[in-house]
């Protein structure tokens, strides 16, 4: 069995229309949410053996703030292919994480963007009632959300549609209602 964590970047700032999408920073609510989620991810208790992340500014800031709050400096693998990637692209990146000796790390945390992360959940987790938390994602996998999937595979090369169970979902607003959607967004 493998464990996959998915962490979407926190809320970004849209105030400077001159910035490229890749260069958008976090807004105030995003900075607060990133730190709070960093504590939650640490306290969830999984040791993430590999972290792969988009190098977009909003992702790098999310990781920096989450790591600072958690008091941990994670080893990171930046991969530009994660930036705005589709579910099939993300799945292919995960397949590349294998190792000929042991099938690759037991746990991977991927930090990136929607709609790719949300679609990846829908592709990996069957819509058959076996993962009741899947319904929580039906509305949206919001900014700074964190999900954990257990995959019925021994090697990352074997990741495919329907091979996972969604075992945990947490959103910033679940930890602090002030970080939920507002009329300003």
């Amino acid at each position: 069995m493998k464990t996959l964590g998915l962490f979407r970047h926190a809320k970004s700032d849209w105030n400077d229309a001159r910035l490229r999408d890749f260069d958008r920073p976090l807004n105030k609510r995003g900075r607060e949410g990133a730190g709070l989620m960093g504590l939650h991810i640490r306290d969830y208790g999984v040791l993430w053996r590999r972290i792969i992340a988009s190098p977009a500014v909003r992702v790098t800031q999310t990781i920096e703030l989450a790591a600072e709050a958690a008091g941990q400096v994670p080893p990171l693998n930046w991969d530009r292919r994660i930036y705005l990637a589709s579910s099939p692209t993300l799945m292919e990146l995960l397949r590349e994480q294998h190792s000929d000796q042991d099938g690759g790390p037991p746990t991977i945390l991927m930090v990136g963007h929607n709609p790719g992360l949300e679609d990846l959940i829908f592709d990996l987790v069957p819509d058959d009632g076996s993962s009741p938390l899947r319904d929580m994602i039906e509305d949206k996998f919001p900014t700074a959300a964190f999900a954990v999937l257990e995959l019925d595979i021994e090697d990352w090369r074997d990741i495919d549609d329907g091979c996972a169970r969604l075992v945990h979902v947490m959103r910033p607003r679940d930890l602090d209602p002030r970080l939920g959607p507002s009329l300003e967004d």
Side-chain angles (χ1 to χ4, degrees):
M1 183 179 78
K2 302 289 187 190
T3 301
L4 174 62
L6 300 174
F7 184 27
R8 185 175 173 204
H9 66 80
K11 188 80 175 156
S12 61
D13 190 343
W14 289 84
N15 287 335
D16 188 346
R18 297 170 298 165
L19 287 177
R20 295 180 315 151
D21 180 73
F22 187 88
D23 297 324
R24 281 190 293 116
L26 298 181
N27 67 15
K28 181 180 184 297
R29 194 175 99 202
R31 290 188 299 274
E32 290 176 23
L36 185 62
M37 293 308 292
L39 292 171
H40 175 75
I41 292 168
R42 180 198 65 198
D43 294 346
Y44 185 73
V46 170
L47 176 59
W48 301 105
R49 298 287 182 179
R50 184 167 299 159
I51 301 174
I52 52 178
S54 162
V57 170
R58 59 192 178 273
V59 174
T60 62
Q61 288 181 340
T62 297
I63 292 170
E64 288 168 4
L65 291 164
E68 182 181 316
Q72 299 173 344
V73 179
L76 292 166
N77 298 290
W78 303 104
D79 195 317
R80 190 169 178 107
R81 294 175 295 172
I82 296 173
Y83 174 66
L84 304 181
S86 66
S87 175
T89 299
L90 295 176
M91 215 176 296
E92 190 56 39
L93 287 167
L94 290 167
R95 286 186 188 107
E96 292 174 10
Q97 305 306 308
H98 75 91
S99 164
D100 290 334
Q101 293 87 8
D102 60 6
T107 60
I108 293 177
L109 177 63
M110 180 180 280
V111 189
H113 311 266
N114 260 2
L117 293 180
E118 182 176 306
D119 291 344
L120 184 62
I121 293 170
F122 292 143
D123 289 344
L124 292 175
V125 179
D127 189 12
D128 62 3
S130 63
S131 296
L133 289 174
R134 190 179 191 278
D135 294 341
M136 193 172 179
I137 306 297
E138 288 292 335
D139 293 329
K140 186 179 179 186
F141 191 58
T143 52
F146 169 64
V148 179
L149 295 84
E150 292 179 348
L151 290 75
D152 293 323
I153 58 173
E154 296 301 319
D155 190 309
W156 287 101
R157 286 182 288 208
D158 299 328
I159 193 169
D160 206 355
D161 289 355
C163 74
R165 286 176 310 284
L166 183 60
V167 297
H168 180 78
V169 176
M170 187 60 62
R171 304 166 297 191
R173 68 176 171 230
D174 298 327
L175 300 170
D176 183 343
R178 294 179 309 110
L179 298 176
S182 70
L183 296 176
E184 300 168 3
D185 297 331

